[in-house]
Every structure is written in structure tokens, then in C-alpha cells.
Amino acid sequence: MLKKVLVANRGEIALRIIRACRELGIRSVAVYSDADARAPHVREADEAVHIGASPSSESYLVGERLIQAALRTGADAVHPGYGFLSEREWFARAVRDAGLVWVGPPAEAIAAMGSKTAARTLAIAAGTPVVPGTTTALRDAAEAMEVARTFGYPVLLKAAAGGGGKGMRVVRAESEIATALEQAQREAKNSFGDDAVYVEKYIEGPRHVEIQVLGDMHGTMLHLGERECSVQRRHQKMIEEAPSVAVSPELRARMGAAAVAAAKAAGYVNAGTCEFLLDAKGEFYFLEMNTRIQVEHPVTELVTGIDLVQWQLRIASGEKLPFVQSEIVPRGWAIECRITSEDAANGFLPSTGRISYLKVPSGPGVRWDGGIEEGSEVGLFYDPMLAKLIVWAPTRESAVERMHRALLELTIEGVETSRDFHVRVMEDADFKAGAIEIQWLERRLPSLIAVAPTAEEVRIAAIAGALFAERDRSAPPVAGTSATSAAPATESSNWLRTARAEGLR
Ligand code: ADP
């Protein structure tokens, strides 16, 4: 078994890995930038190494410093988490060349799945269905038009090196294609340093369903069923669940087999995810493979009972998987909400500040994978995801209710968060019915945000109103808190803020 692991990441995923290490008796080494000097992951690890200034380009993205930190502390392995350098073939290779174990797939497998076009080529060869489109970069607009004509509009231009929904353009008519191609190429160049853009058929109204795979070094490759990640904004996931209402045991077996075939074709080892689009007819199309642990891995852990991060470490230590495919059957339902420092009511504007108060939900079936605590500074250096709230319950209906309850227990003061947005989704009739697909949220968002306040907001506004009215009777009015017992609905968020500021929550 590995003895000491350097965790080349920050925030909730660094803590998640440190916890898995501790449970396995492995020592952990955290790394941190200036901004993270007092972050929880630094304190929770057995050791910590300062690696540079706050911008990630001067710390978490400097491979050489991470490797030096591992060598200096006598670590025998590096766990990259997700994001940062987790999917960089050169980094996986450099870690290996330094005599360290990479807790992830071989560098060659990362390379094979590294660009969307390479992954498509590989999937086609493995017999895994892909979205109709090209497998090479477009030369020019004329070629894009020619290809688009063969399968018809709308089409999607995509950056081969893409990630995080960047470098993507939907094109609905031939007249738009030249401009869209230029824009996609420019964005791809800026974001990934590579302007290769290819074209796919744009599938209308599919679900995003992905399959978790897990393979050891001894030739076993299994799938752990699906995650439904259709609740997306700007091609980015907001809420994930397992299993999916749209996936029958028979379809799960077929999608699982397709994912295992693609992973095997890439010589894959360790945990990975094959992403698919699933259309209303039950046809599925491979999108790409993520060659790392994913943000949404906990929902799979909760329905399968398999600790994915522990298994990443055990596989990297050379252990054999003790399960067989037929034993892996999802039990109950799990949902995850990404709690971000974004103000949903204001176009998801990033919010910064100091967490002045934090109340974390608990009780039956609730899991909090967080990277913050009271006193944490939330800046703009890193991803706005503060934490993940995950619940498990026997049925989807009870999981939605449990998530709603847990979200109401959650209080974060000091920055705006996506918490209220999630409360609204849990109260939404479409979501409750599982009637979601990848464009659902974008369509629903304006009404979701603009609607009347949530039941909880109404209750709090009423209490606040009554209390302030009572206080105003005995004291002179304070600016900004003058109370009227019948506050209009649109003022409820002000009421809420005032109530919070007054320490009522
Ligand atoms: P990224 O790596 O940038 O996340 P993906 O290929 O994983 O890009 O796609 C992200 C999201 O964009 C998908 O979950 C889906 O919502 C949407 N998408 C991607 N390809 C298509 C397509 N061909 N048709 C419709 N939507 C798509």
C-alpha cells in the first residue's frame, strides 16, 4: 500500500482525498498557495508545503513545484484530484519519471482520451456509438459547411481540447457558420492554447448521462452505473444524481458495456468517466472520457457503497478489484447540489468575501463535502465551488425532499451562494418529475429566479416583519429596517438579508 500521498489540489477535493488517505492509513501532504495558507485542507493533512503565489498559474499549475514538494516530503505518490493538472499527460508522465506513483490512469491513456477528436476516433474503433460528426479539426468554414450539410442543422462546433463548456458554438443555419467557427477557434486558442475545432450534430433535448468506470492493473474493468447530469447552465453541471430516471437495467448494461469497451481500448486503469448524450428514443452517443475523479463522484459512492477515492488509492497501490459486475447494482437514490459562491439572482455573478457564518446540514442521509469554514476568504483566484451537498434516500422522491430539507438547514453568510437556486429547483414540478434534459435549466431559469419567494423565504420574511414591527413599536426606527407587516413578495430577499443581518438565522 502507498505510504504517503501528495495531494496536488485544494478545496473540497483535497479534503476528500486526505480523508480517504487517513481511512486507509496513508499519510497525506497538502500543498497550498498564499491565498490558501489557512485553508482547511492544509490543516487536515499530515504535512503541508507552500508552493507559491495565489494565482494557480504560480502554484497549483506549476508541475515542477508539486513534484519537488512530493520528493522533499518523501511522498511515494501524487493524487491530482480534478481540474488543475489532473488531465495533463505531461504531468502524469513527469510524476512517473520522478519515480512517483500517479493516482490515476497511465499517461498514455490520458493522451488517448486527451482530445475530444482522439477520444471519438478511439470510441468508434471500440464500437461505441458517438455523436455524428468529424474526428479531425476543421480546415475552414467551407469544410464546416460541407460536413454540416451531410447531417443537417443545427450543428455544434467544439474545441478538440475543450473542457468546462468552453469553445462551443451552436450553429442553426449555414449563414452563421463562418463567424461561429472564428469565435470558437479564438475561444479555444485562448482557453486551451489550441485552436482545433471540429463539428458534431447538435442533439436537441438529450440527457447527459455518464458512466463511472473502475479498472485495476490486473485486467479487470467494471462500470458502476450512471449519473444523470442534465441540470446544466452554459454546458456546466449544477445538480447530479444517480441513478437516472431514464435508464433501465437493460440500458445501464448496454451503456456500461460501451463505456468499458472505450476504456479498455484506451488501456485505461483507475477511475474514469465516459460521458454520453441519451436521446428521448433511448439512443446514446459517446461524448468524451474524463480521465480523473469527477466532482459528482459521491452520488455513485452513495448508491453503490463503493468508495471511489479509496479505490483510486488501492488500485494505484496494485490491489485487485474484489467485485464482479453483477454485484454492482444501484441501491436507492443520491442527489448532489454544487454550492457555489455565485449569485443566481444576478446572472450567477461570482461573489467574494469572508464566510462570517456557516451552518452545515446534517441528519439522516446527508453528506457535506466542503472546502470552506467560518473565516474562509472567498476570492476570485479559484473555482467558485465552495462545497457539495449530497443526500441519499431510498427513492428519488424522498431524496428530493431530503435535499430540500438539507438545503434549508444550510446557512452561509458573507458571500452570495447558489443555495437558494437549488432550493427552487427542488421545489420545481419538472425537476420533481425527473422531466429534465440538458437545455431544461436554461429554459426554466428566468422563471425559476423571478418567481415568488420560496416557502421558507415567505416564512422568514413574515417572522422578520413581525419582529421588526414589534421592535419599532418600542424603539426609534433604524434606517433600512422600517417594518411593514405586509412586505411585497419582491422585497422578500431584502427581508431575508435584513433578517440574516439581524441574526435571526
Ligand atoms: P466539455 O468538455 O467542455 O464539458 P462536453 O463534450 O463534455 O464538453 O459537453 C458539455 C455539455 O455540452 C454536454 O453535457 C451537453 O450538455 C452539451 N453538448 C455537448 N455536445 C453536444 C451535442 N453534440 N449536442 C447537444 N449538446 C451537446
Side-chain angles (χ1 to χ4, degrees), residues 205-207 228 230-231 241 244-246 396 400 425 428-441 443-444:
R207 290 169 183 264
E228 157 94 54
S230 296
V231 181
E241 56 186 292
S244 162
V245 293
R396 186 173 189 275
V400 174
V425 176
D428 183 87
D430 287 350
F431 182 81
K432 282 186 180 171
I436 45 176
E437 37 80 14
I438 60 172
Q439 283 119 27
W440 171 77
L441 181 61
R443 260 197 330 271
R444 192 76 183 83

Side-chain angles (χ1 to χ4, degrees), residues 86-89 93 105-130 159-163 194 198 211 213 221 256-276 286-292:
S86 60
E87 291 187 283
R88 297 277 175 253
E89 176 210 354
R93 216 177 274 281
E108 293 72 17
I110 299 180
M113 290 294 189
S115 81
K116 291 189 201 295
T117 42
R120 285 167 61 79
T121 309
L122 204 125
I124 294 167
T128 303
V130 301
D194 174 0
Y198 71 104
I211 302 283
V213 298
M221 177 65 67
V260 165
K264 278 191 170 162
Y268 206 86
V269 173
N270 216 293
T273 299
C274 289
E275 299 189 327
F276 295 93
F286 173 84
L287 275 181
E288 64 167 344
M289 183 166 190
N290 290 134
T291 55
R292 54 169 164 80

